[in-house]
Amino acid sequence: MSQIQIRFEVPNHYMSVNAFVASAKSAQRALNTLNRELFDDQLDLELVVFAPEPGSVRQILKVVVKGARATAWGVAGTYGILWTVVQGLETDIAKEVVKELTGKLPAQIAADVVSDFRERIEQANTEKEREELEKAATEQACKEIAEVMSQASSSALVVPRERLERLPVSEKTIFELSDAQAEMFEGCIADPAISSVEIENNGHPPIPRHEFPRRAIRPKRPDPERDENEEWRVSLETITVTSPNLEEEDQQARQWKGKTANDKKALFTVEDREFWDRLHQKELSFSENTEIVAQVATRFLDGRAKQSKVLRVLKFEGREIAQPIDENGLKAILGELKSVTTDDGFGHLLG
């Protein structure tokens, strides 16, 4: 079955449209990324919305493989191109990717479907009979490919980030899949009614709400011009915020200002999705000299601090509101990093 069924656990029979749309967009993005990585973007794919069951809050998407695109592969006709794509599923890389995401190898499409139709096509008595057999073979191949692609792309939305990072694919593909996952869970965080998310019928357990922030971590975008002398260091800091900037999109123009525990000045941005949602929902409010405890990443170039950003706000005025990002999460965001203690934190180096 080529459906992607996303179940949102909610107390009532509704949820926010933003979270609903974000998950569909993420599924589309994961599907397109795998098509580009595994098949050089040769599959003519479409993701459509199926009508949900009455009274349910369930997103049902369906992968439709309409054929294959004629490009530089030099194979004549939709039938010939499609079989080249089908055989691509049997390559070592495709097998590894699908197995890592779904826990099983791709169906033996090339062996099963091709062997069933090819001999019959070659022995066809008339052109009309051959065309009918080619059409039937193409429809069956499209159905089988759609099943594999739906399972792989939906799994990419919920598997742990470290599973995505193990895929034998390009750095760009890993980024796209990780970022698609983050985009979906950002949307889920913004709807407080969603207590869990599950991709049904693919063997992965439901993701409870307390894991949403970890899944929503935006990965570091590949940078081909990254300076070899650049490094990130992470520290836990107690910060007295002297000048917050409550406009998220305005942070690059005007950063937050504060003082660390050793009274050093600090400039920083806040990139904690859950923290911003709490602010937007008015669960948190700043007064004069509000104190936060935060997990801070500082970028160094040739030993000098150049940029600081709060990755996770752990405490707000003494109240615990989040858990620190683990090492795998930090590497997903920053790439290579150097962990340091609070004594060597960002305020000391920027002040």
Side-chain angles (χ1 to χ4, degrees):
M1 184 170 58
S2 59
Q3 292 181 4
I4 299 174
Q5 299 185 20
I6 306 177
R7 179 181 176 84
F8 302 90
E9 192 66 34
V10 294
N12 300 304
H13 296 298
Y14 57 83
M15 60 180 288
S16 74
V17 69
N18 288 337
F20 196 83
V21 171
S23 61
K25 289 174 62 179
S26 295
Q28 178 77 74
R29 187 173 174 187
L31 185 67
N32 291 342
T33 298
L34 289 173
N35 185 21
R36 185 167 53 249
E37 178 68 28
L38 300 182
F39 304 113
D40 198 25
D41 209 24
Q42 301 306 306
L43 287 178
D44 187 5
L45 289 168
E46 184 176 17
L47 190 66
V48 298
V49 179
F50 256 35
E53 300 172 2
S56 69
V57 181
R58 181 180 280 112
Q59 186 176 75
I60 303 179
L61 308 171
K62 183 177 179 64
V63 178
V64 178
V65 177
K66 298 184 289 185
R69 303 184 180 100
T71 58
W73 279 356
V75 183
T78 301
Y79 172 76
I81 298 168
L82 190 62
W83 287 122
T84 304
V85 174
V86 168
Q87 291 166 349
L89 266 182
E90 298 304 318
T91 64
D92 290 340
I93 290 179
K95 287 180 178 179
E96 286 187 48
V97 170
V98 175
K99 189 174 189 303
E100 186 65 47
L101 290 175
T102 68
K104 54 189 177 184
L105 289 172
Q108 295 292 317
I109 298 174
D112 297 341
V113 182
V114 174
S115 62
D116 186 33
F117 280 97
R118 180 164 291 168
E119 185 174 347
R120 293 161 58 191
I121 291 170
E122 291 174 352
Q123 296 177 358
N125 294 321
T126 65
E127 181 66 19
K128 181 178 180 181
E129 182 182 357
R130 186 185 66 79
E131 290 178 354
E132 289 177 349
L133 285 169
E134 284 190 0
K135 180 180 179 182
T138 299
E139 290 176 353
Q140 182 63 27
C142 287
K143 180 180 177 181
E144 297 287 352
I145 295 171
E147 169 64 15
V148 174
M149 293 297 285
S150 67
Q151 287 287 318
S153 56
S154 62
S155 294
L157 297 177
V158 293
V159 296
R161 193 67 59 82
E162 52 267 27
R163 292 263 301 269
L164 294 178
E165 293 171 354
R166 290 202 300 264
L167 294 177
V169 295
S170 66
E171 187 178 7
K172 179 181 178 181
T173 293
I174 292 174
F175 168 78
E176 289 291 338
L177 294 176
S178 301
D179 206 48
Q181 183 183 108
E183 184 176 25
M184 184 176 84
F185 281 97
E186 275 189 3
C188 292
I189 286 174
D191 187 342
I194 300 174
S195 60
S196 69
V197 175
E198 178 183 5
I199 305 291
E200 297 183 315
N201 301 320
N202 75 349
H204 297 288
I207 310 299
R209 187 172 184 86
H210 69 81
E211 290 190 20
F212 289 3
R214 184 164 62 91
R215 304 296 183 119
I217 294 171
R218 290 283 185 170
K220 178 179 174 59
R221 184 178 294 276
D223 182 6
E225 298 180 358
R226 182 177 181 272
D227 194 307
E228 292 184 357
N229 295 321
E230 174 188 286
E231 67 177 4
W232 285 93
R233 301 180 185 178
V234 177
S235 59
L236 296 182
E237 300 288 343
T238 298
I239 308 168
T240 300
V241 179
T242 56
S243 179
N245 181 1
L246 305 184
E247 296 295 330
E248 185 176 1
E249 294 77 15
D250 187 44
Q251 291 186 94
Q252 297 305 319
R254 187 175 71 83
Q255 298 186 68
W256 294 54
K257 297 179 181 179
K259 294 182 180 180
T260 63
N262 53 8
D263 206 34
K264 296 293 183 178
K265 294 180 181 179
L267 297 174
F268 56 95
T269 58
V270 178
E271 299 189 7
D272 182 347
R273 179 73 268 149
E274 188 176 25
F275 174 76
W276 282 108
D277 282 326
R278 286 177 179 270
L279 280 178
H280 296 157
Q281 294 164 16
K282 302 188 185 303
E283 295 180 18
L284 306 172
S285 60
F286 280 84
S287 57
E288 186 177 358
N289 295 329
T290 295
E291 184 179 276
I292 64 173
V293 176
Q295 196 171 20
V296 182
T298 303
R299 183 174 68 90
F300 287 78
L301 185 61
D302 295 323
R304 299 186 63 182
K306 296 294 183 180
Q307 171 193 3
S308 292
K309 53 187 179 182
V310 168
L311 302 178
R312 182 66 53 83
V313 178
L314 308 177
K315 292 184 179 181
F316 189 89
E317 290 287 68
R319 175 163 63 97
E320 184 175 306
I321 62 173
Q323 294 297 314
I325 301 170
D326 62 18
E327 184 176 352
N328 288 329
L330 292 173
K331 287 183 178 179
I333 301 170
L334 305 170
E336 293 300 318
L337 58 91
K338 177 181 178 181
S339 296
V340 294
T341 64
T342 304
D343 292 338
D344 194 22
F346 79 130
H348 173 72
L349 292 159
L350 286 183

